[in-house]
Amino acid sequence: MTRSAPIQSCLAGLLALALALAPALAGAQGLDLSLPDLGDPSSDVLPPSEEARIGQEMMREIRGEVDLITDPSINAYIRDLGARIAVASDMPATEFRFFVVDDPRINAFAMPGGYVGVHSGLITAARDESELGAVIAHELSHVTQRHIARRIAAYEQTSLRTAALVLAGLLIGSQNPQAGMAAATTGMASGIDSQLAYSRDHEREADRVGMRILSRAELDPMGMPEFFQVLLNDNRYRSQPPAFLSTHPLTQARIADARAMADELKPERVFESPDFAYVRARLAVLVADNPDQARNIFQARVESEATPGDRYGLATALVRSGDPARATTIFEGLDEARGEHEMLYLGLAEAALAENRVDDALGRINAGLSLFPDSVGLQVTRIDALLREDRARKALALTRNLTHEHPEAPGIWELHARVASAAADPAESALAMAHYYAVQGDLRAGLSQLRRVDPASASASQRSRANALRDRWESRLTPPG
């Protein structure tokens, strides 16, 4: 289940953290917190290499403390949408790492080094892909405009790596008050909640840049003010504001400005992927307290409106609640009414596997892959089907291909490790787990996994790969100069 830690407050609090740490760590004098000029985002306010190190340190500390969504289809969708938006920005898409946090609150956050987390609550609350894309574009803008880097660099007397570790400690402490690291930082962190929000200037800049990015990505820039308005309206009926509002203050004037800009920036063509409705529904089923609850919710929606997304959600819930035969009927009806889609083939395959009809499942998967060869969800489900037939060596060849195609996806590396273990290849399993930790920023854990590669049983290729990774990661962990 989702932990209750205020992730967004910790991650957005780099400025406040530096303020709290500066006197304790470096004896700094009073600092000017004003921001009269945002400056050139390309200026070297903080070396990108150091920013990457800070991001890696933060990911290493919080990786074990935050529940992440592991579903391959959902993660692939967010990576694809994030890459589509990032390509339209001023930074290479390869510099971003997108992941989904299992948290019902409506939020997204960006960390140093291009790590971008999207809450499950944001995906299920967005009404269309442009609204979801708007929040992602807004967070990317905080990265491209170096807002976080500027906050850190404003406090030159503070140890940057120590700041990152203490920031992660604040996150861990909010989830586990007994954590020793948090206990050491509680005093420094107290009294700074009022300073956690991004500055108004940063927010306005992220709005403007984010909507330009949306327009270039052929999404509707109006998604930003529309979703902001939903959040502001929803806030009137809550005892606590939505998480996004706690670090991204909203006013009607700001929404009006965003709406005016969106009118000017609307692209000639807006394309929203049909994947969104299916992914949103699938995620809602996965994060529900139990499959029966999800089935009841989607059954009520289908009876009142019966959108394709709601029908897909009902079928997905039926697979997980023990009625795959009825789910198959719904999936097939969607296929006839809406046309072929990889998520429908995935649902049909999962329904067949739920009834242990492995051959039928493989037939559905192969048919889907003939039309959608890049579908990660279908490829992973095929691997699951092969493992059920004790064809681990065949599955291992497929997971190896997936790691080449998606080298930055931790879930793919974890799957490759599991399949390698089933195929009795411990060296390959250790190498895969090393990558699993490394792509999440934990190079030390990756190096620990490399020590599991036994030279006596590993192949020459595996020994060579282990040595190359060890040299590369140890070099990255060694401070310059």
Side-chain angles (χ1 to χ4, degrees):
M1 296 300 296
T2 302
R3 297 177 174 88
S4 60
I7 300 171
Q8 69 290 336
S9 294
C10 291
L11 297 176
L14 288 167
L15 173 62
L17 177 65
L19 176 62
L21 287 174
L25 297 178
Q29 301 300 314
L31 299 169
D32 182 8
L33 298 181
S34 63
L35 191 63
D37 182 4
L38 288 180
D40 182 356
S42 65
S43 61
D44 192 18
V45 294
L46 182 70
S49 60
E50 188 63 28
E51 193 173 351
R53 285 178 183 272
I54 291 173
Q56 289 168 6
E57 292 288 348
M58 291 174 64
M59 283 300 295
R60 184 175 70 86
E61 294 298 327
I62 71 174
R63 177 183 51 78
E65 302 297 328
V66 177
D67 288 329
L68 302 181
I69 296 296
T70 59
D71 183 80
S73 295
I74 293 170
N75 284 321
Y77 170 78
I78 287 297
R79 286 197 303 270
D80 289 345
L81 177 60
R84 174 184 173 185
I85 294 170
V87 165
S89 76
D90 296 327
M91 290 180 66
T94 54
E95 294 190 14
F96 292 99
R97 306 286 185 270
F98 298 93
F99 56 97
V100 183
V101 179
D102 184 0
D103 191 318
R105 292 169 299 178
I106 302 171
N107 204 19
F109 57 87
M111 298 194 302
Y115 295 95
V116 180
V118 179
H119 283 208
S120 57
L122 169 62
I123 300 172
T124 55
R127 297 171 298 180
D128 56 46
E129 192 169 51
S130 288
E131 289 189 347
L132 172 59
V135 179
I136 294 175
H138 184 96
E139 292 305 320
L140 258 63
S141 298
H142 283 307
V143 176
T144 63
Q145 303 310 108
R146 308 295 306 281
H147 292 161
I148 299 174
R150 292 176 192 177
R151 289 178 169 191
I152 300 173
Y155 302 92
E156 295 177 355
Q157 300 300 317
T158 302
S159 166
L160 301 178
R161 291 172 66 79
T162 301
L165 289 172
V166 176
L167 180 61
L170 293 173
L171 171 60
I172 294 170
S174 64
Q175 297 164 345
N176 178 11
Q178 304 304 315
M181 183 177 178
T185 61
T186 300
M188 286 186 283
S190 62
I192 63 174
D193 288 347
S194 63
Q195 303 176 56
L196 293 177
Y198 279 105
S199 74
R200 292 178 181 176
D201 287 333
H202 284 168
E203 284 296 87
R204 285 194 295 267
E205 186 175 43
D207 289 349
R208 293 194 300 268
V209 174
M211 282 188 286
R212 290 192 185 99
I213 291 173
L214 278 177
S215 182
R216 293 175 195 159
E218 294 189 332
L219 290 166
D220 189 352
M222 193 61 72
M224 187 173 292
E226 290 292 337
F227 194 61
F228 285 174
Q229 188 66 61
V230 169
L231 288 177
L232 202 59
N233 292 342
D234 186 55
N235 185 40
R236 297 170 183 168
Y237 307 101
R238 290 175 177 259
S239 58
Q240 292 185 336
F244 186 83
L245 296 189
S246 68
T247 50
H248 301 74
L250 279 176
T251 64
Q252 286 291 357
R254 178 181 163 195
I255 293 174
D257 289 343
R259 198 179 299 277
M261 175 169 280
D263 278 333
E264 298 177 1
L265 290 173
K266 188 164 185 176
E268 294 181 3
R269 175 179 179 266
V270 171
F271 172 75
E272 294 189 337
S273 169
D275 295 358
F276 172 78
Y278 294 146
V279 167
R280 179 176 180 264
R282 183 180 181 86
L283 179 58
V285 173
L286 294 183
V287 300
D289 289 338
N290 58 71
D292 290 338
Q293 179 196 56
R295 181 195 61 208
N296 294 336
I297 290 173
F298 278 103
Q299 182 67 57
R301 292 179 183 176
V302 166
E303 291 173 357
S304 65
E305 190 173 0
T307 67
D310 289 336
R311 292 168 64 194
Y312 184 89
L314 175 59
T316 303
L318 287 168
V319 172
R320 285 160 173 75
S321 63
D323 194 353
R326 185 183 169 204
T328 298
T329 300
I330 296 174
F331 284 133
E332 289 177 338
L334 280 170
D335 183 69
E336 293 176 3
R338 306 291 298 182
E340 296 170 322
H341 191 283
E342 62 176 287
M343 297 288 285
L344 298 179
Y345 281 103
L346 175 62
L348 288 165
E350 289 177 334
L353 287 176
E355 295 183 297
N356 205 31
R357 294 183 286 109
V358 179
D359 288 343
D360 187 16
L362 286 169
R364 300 283 195 181
I365 293 166
N366 291 334
L369 287 172
S370 69
L371 298 171
F372 309 100
D374 297 328
S375 170
V376 176
L378 287 172
Q379 293 179 69
V380 169
T381 306
R382 177 170 61 176
I383 291 163
D384 181 31
L386 290 172
L387 289 177
R388 294 193 186 200
E389 292 192 325
D390 295 324
R391 298 167 63 186
R393 299 305 301 184
K394 170 66 174 175
L396 184 59
L398 297 176
T399 57
R400 185 176 288 110
N401 289 337
L402 275 176
T403 62
H404 292 318
E405 295 168 1
H406 305 282
E408 299 300 331
I412 298 299
W413 285 110
E414 190 278 333
L415 175 64
H416 186 49
R418 179 162 55 88
V419 173
S421 180
D425 192 341
E428 189 65 27
S429 181
L431 282 164
M433 286 306 296
H435 278 287
Y436 167 78
Y437 289 115
V439 298
Q440 296 178 91
D442 195 345
L443 297 183
R444 291 185 177 87
L447 288 168
S448 176
Q449 290 295 317
L450 292 180
R451 289 193 283 273
R452 292 177 48 218
V453 179
D454 183 0
S457 59
S459 68
S461 173
Q462 289 169 336
R463 291 194 299 271
S464 175
R465 287 159 55 199
N467 290 335
L469 290 174
R470 187 178 297 108
D471 291 344
R472 186 191 316 161
W473 294 346
E474 286 178 348
S475 174
R476 286 171 60 183
L477 286 172
T478 302

